[in-house]
Amino acid sequence: MKGHFSTGTDHQISLLEDVFREFPRTPVNLEIKEDNDPLIKKVSELVKRYNRSNITVWASTKNAIMDKCIAENPDMPVMFTVKRGLLLLALYYSGLLPFVPLRESVLESPMPSVYNRTYDPPPGLMRNKLVMKLVQKLTMRRSLFQHLEARGIQVYLWVLNQDSDFQKAFSLGATGVITDYPSKLRMFLDNQSS
């Protein structure tokens, strides 16, 4: 199932301030994708103005950007960057993870088993099914997720859009999933609790 786009006329994108005002207690993950100091400062100011530092997560794939975010507002939870995620795996497989402090509060990762089904990667390794199975084996480890949970670190897998993917993620110990179809996830969760 590939993603779909809207064909309606309602294409207004909400302002971050409107989201904060409308959903004051809803956790939000804010991914800063470009190295833009004024943007980072403005986001931090909004988070502080609406008293959301404890429920708004700094997210970026790049260490340099994440370091600036943390410097701007160190009270916000932090997501693993790609580099820190690779370090996490190295520490896990070396057996050193229990002895190393981690600043992150959230791990977000694609679930490799859905990668080629939901995303059309450029030619190369990510299209190779054997490589993706190996990445799946190395990264989707229940014991790793349990260790992170015991340390208070939440784990979210993405982009999951089928019941079988939701089931797999939760059986691995994921805290939650990121989906293109929240109502489908809601039905899945309702069926699991009944």
Side-chain angles (χ1 to χ4, degrees):
M1 172 189 316
K2 295 274 186 190
H4 301 281
F5 58 90
S6 172
T7 57
T9 57
D10 183 17
H11 294 270
Q12 181 178 350
I13 297 174
S14 298
L15 298 174
L16 181 58
E17 186 166 12
D18 295 339
V19 172
F20 285 176
R21 195 175 13 253
E22 188 70 26
F23 303 99
R25 290 183 294 282
T26 301
V28 174
N29 173 22
L30 294 174
E31 184 173 1
I32 307 296
K33 295 189 177 209
E34 63 180 63
D35 193 349
N36 181 325
D37 293 342
L39 172 66
I40 293 168
K41 184 171 185 56
K42 181 68 173 171
V43 166
S44 177
E45 288 170 357
L46 282 171
V47 167
K48 289 175 183 176
R49 183 179 322 141
Y50 287 90
N51 296 318
R52 298 182 50 87
S53 288
N54 61 331
I55 61 168
T56 305
V57 177
W58 278 129
S60 182
T61 58
K62 299 177 180 154
N63 277 21
I65 295 173
M66 184 61 75
D67 290 342
K68 288 182 178 185
C69 293
I70 293 168
E72 189 64 44
N73 188 343
D75 296 328
M76 290 172 60
V78 177
M79 177 189 98
F80 282 87
T81 61
V82 171
K83 227 183 238 186
R84 295 277 299 170
L86 292 172
L87 175 63
L88 173 72
L89 286 173
L91 292 169
Y92 172 72
Y93 281 105
S94 69
L96 297 173
L97 184 56
F99 309 105
V100 177
L102 299 171
R103 69 182 182 194
E104 292 84 0
S105 302
V106 177
L107 172 66
E108 294 178 12
S109 173
M111 194 160 79
S113 62
V114 303
Y115 198 76
N116 285 303
R117 182 168 19 108
T118 61
Y119 174 69
D120 191 21
L125 284 178
M126 299 307 274
R127 282 196 180 182
N128 184 304
K129 289 183 182 187
L130 182 61
V131 168
M132 293 313 293
K133 283 185 181 192
L134 178 61
V135 171
Q136 175 84 14
K137 283 278 189 204
L138 290 172
T139 60
M140 299 293 108
R141 308 299 302 180
R142 183 168 176 71
S143 58
L144 171 61
F145 295 170
Q146 287 173 329
H147 175 84
L148 294 174
E149 180 185 24
R151 291 176 75 164
I153 298 171
Q154 298 179 358
V155 177
Y156 295 93
L157 301 178
W158 53 269
V159 169
L160 311 184
N161 293 322
Q162 296 180 5
D163 286 0
S164 59
D165 299 331
F166 302 152
Q167 182 64 47
K168 178 69 174 169
F170 290 120
S171 72
L172 286 168
T175 309
V177 301
I178 298 168
T179 182
D180 294 321
Y181 304 101
S183 57
K184 190 171 187 174
L185 175 60
R186 175 80 270 154
M187 286 190 301
F188 171 83
L189 294 171
D190 289 345
N191 288 337
Q192 296 301 304
S193 63
S194 58

